[in-house]
Amino acid sequence: MQTLGDRLSSRENGLDVLRFLLAAVVIVSHTWLISGFSSHPTRGLGEWAVFAFFVLSGYLVTASAARMPIGPYLWRRALRIFPGLWTVLLVTAFVFAPLASILSMQHYDFGDAVSCVTKNALLEVNQSTIDGTLELEPYRATWNGSLWTLMYEGAAYLAVGVLFLSKWVRGHLHLVIPVLFVAASVALRLARYFLAGMLLYVFRERISLKPWLPIACAAAVIPLATMGWGTYLTPLPLALAVLWAGAVLPLRLPHRVDLSYGMYIWAFPIQQLIMLFGLGWLSPWVTAVIAITIVVPLAWLSWTFVESPELRLRRLVPTRPRDDKAARSRGPAPLASPVAATGRRTAALAAQSGQSRR
C-alpha cells in the first residue's frame, strides 16, 4: 500500500482541490459576520478550515526547506505570499474603496488609502479600514478580515528556515519536530497545526493510506472538540485526516492551478462590496454563493497573472544541492531497494514542481 509520502510527493494527489474546498468554507463562514449576524452556524467550520490550511503549509513548507538552502527557500516563500498580498491591497485601496465611497456617498480619503497599503504590506495588519468607506455597513471593522493569518504564516516560514540552518537539526528531524510539536501544543494555537503538518512530513514514509484512517481521526476530533479540548488534542488527528484527503482525493483542478490563496485573500473585500451593493437582504447562503461565483474568476486571474509568474522569478535565486545527510534522505526513508530508490527519485522530481505552489 502507498504511503502518505508517496502520494503527496507526486502529481497524483488532490491538494489543489482540497485547498479550493477549504477556501470556499472560509468564504461561507465569513458571510454571516459580514452580513451583521453576531452568531452563525458555520463559524466553527471556518476556524477548522484555517487550521487545515496551517497543516498543509506545515507539511509542504517543510518539504521545501528540506531540499534547498535558506536563501532560495525564503525567496520562494516571499514570492508565494507577497505579490498576491500587495495586489489585493492596491486594488482594495484604489479601486474598491473609492467605489465604496461613491456607493455610500462618503468622503474617500486618498492619504488614508495609501497608508492602508504601506502599513499592511509586510504581513502584519496595522490598518484595517480606510476613512470614508464601510461606515454604513454591518461589518465596518475591516476591508479584509482574512489577512490576519498571513503574519503567522510568514513567521512560520521564517522559523522553519532558521531551524533548518542547523545540520544537526536536519539530521535529527525525527527527534526535534516531535519535541517542538509537544511544546507548541501547550501554548501556541496555530503553531500546533503547522507543527502537526511538519511532524507528518517527517514520518510520511511510515504512514500507510489505510481507508479507515479518516474515520478514526473523525472519531477522535469530534468528541475532543465537543468537550472543549479541541485545540489542544486535535491537531494531530486533524492533520492525518487532512493530509489523507489530500493524498487520495480523485479530483483535480484543470492545469493544476492553485486557486486557494487567491480565493482566501480576495473573498472578504468582495463580500464587503456585495453588502455595499445592497444585497444584504438576501440569505447569507445566497450571498456566499454570489461571493464564490465572483471570487473564483478573480482567483484564476490572480494565479495566472500574479502568482504563477513567481515560478519564473524563483530562478533569480537558484538552488544548490545540499551534501548533508538530511537533504539527501529528505527525512526518514523506507527500507532500501531498487524499486524504492527509483520511486524516491521520481517523487523528488515531481515534488520540485508540485511543492512550488506552497
Side-chain angles (χ1 to χ4, degrees):
M1 179 172 287
Q2 283 188 313
T3 65
L4 187 69
D6 293 333
R7 291 297 296 269
L8 292 184
S9 58
S10 74
R11 288 182 175 270
E12 295 303 314
N13 63 65
L15 288 177
D16 292 335
V17 171
L18 178 61
R19 286 188 290 235
F20 177 93
L21 295 174
L22 291 173
V25 169
V26 172
I27 293 173
V28 172
S29 72
H30 284 161
T31 302
W32 273 259
L33 177 69
I34 295 171
S35 299
F37 291 88
S38 58
S39 62
H40 54 82
T42 62
R43 180 176 180 178
L45 289 178
E47 292 177 349
W48 287 107
V50 170
F51 296 155
F53 271 125
F54 273 83
V55 166
L56 294 171
S57 289
Y59 186 98
L60 297 174
V61 168
T62 306
S64 178
R67 69 174 191 271
M68 64 184 71
I70 189 170
Y73 162 78
L74 290 178
W75 174 242
R76 295 183 184 209
R77 295 303 96 217
L79 287 175
R80 187 65 188 97
I81 201 168
F82 282 112
L85 170 65
W86 292 338
T87 301
V88 77
L89 287 175
L90 289 168
V91 173
T92 300
F94 303 118
V95 179
F96 293 166
L99 177 60
S101 69
I102 293 171
L103 291 172
S104 59
M105 293 184 290
Q106 302 291 316
H107 173 68
Y108 169 68
D109 190 327
F110 180 81
D112 207 46
V114 173
S115 174
C116 187
V117 173
T118 57
K119 287 184 177 180
N120 300 332
L122 297 179
L123 301 185
E124 185 178 4
V125 178
N126 295 302
Q127 181 180 332
S128 57
T129 61
I130 299 171
D131 286 347
T133 64
L134 303 182
E135 294 180 2
L136 304 177
E137 298 312 304
Y139 190 74
R140 64 189 71 177
T142 180
W143 264 104
N144 202 328
S146 299
L147 299 185
W148 70 273
T149 63
L150 298 186
M151 179 181 69
Y152 297 98
E153 181 116 354
Y157 292 169
L158 183 59
V160 170
V162 172
L163 183 69
F164 274 64
L165 283 173
S166 169
K167 289 187 177 181
W168 185 89
V169 169
R170 286 176 170 272
H172 297 83
L173 291 178
H174 62 293
L175 298 176
V176 175
I177 302 303
V179 171
L180 291 176
F181 172 71
V182 172
S185 296
V186 176
L188 302 174
R189 190 181 188 192
L190 291 176
R192 298 167 192 155
Y193 296 92
F194 190 90
L195 280 158
M198 293 183 69
L199 185 65
L200 295 187
Y201 173 81
V202 172
F203 296 101
R204 66 199 181 282
E205 300 298 348
R206 303 178 187 178
I207 302 172
S208 299
L209 296 175
K210 303 288 188 180
W212 49 261
L213 186 60
I215 300 174
C217 292
V221 168
I222 294 173
L224 287 172
T226 303
M227 292 186 295
W229 288 90
T231 56
Y232 294 99
L233 301 180
T234 60
L236 193 56
L238 177 70
L240 279 167
V242 167
L243 291 168
W244 181 92
V248 305
L249 274 176
L251 302 175
R252 306 287 182 271
L253 292 182
H255 309 297
R256 302 293 300 181
V257 299
D258 181 4
L259 302 180
S260 60
Y261 184 52
M263 292 174 65
Y264 187 79
I265 62 177
W266 283 97
F268 210 98
I270 292 298
Q271 290 175 287
Q272 287 285 30
L273 285 177
I274 289 172
M275 295 297 106
L276 280 160
F277 274 98
L279 299 179
W281 60 272
L282 295 171
S283 161
W285 291 106
V286 175
T287 57
V289 171
I290 294 172
I292 292 172
T293 303
I294 297 172
V295 167
V296 169
L298 271 178
W300 180 85
L301 290 172
S302 177
W303 170 257
T304 304
F305 298 106
V306 178
E307 300 167 55
S308 186
E310 61 91 8
L311 298 177
R312 295 187 293 271
L313 292 176
R314 66 181 183 173
R315 297 170 187 168
L316 296 176
V317 183
T319 60
R320 302 185 308 275
R322 286 188 175 271
D323 56 3
D324 57 88
K325 181 179 178 181
R328 288 197 304 271
S329 64
R330 298 177 64 240
L335 293 175
S337 71
V339 174
T342 302
R344 287 195 299 273
R345 285 194 295 271
T346 303
L349 290 173
Q352 291 179 0
S353 59
Q355 302 289 356
S356 64
R357 282 190 281 273
R358 289 299 300 169

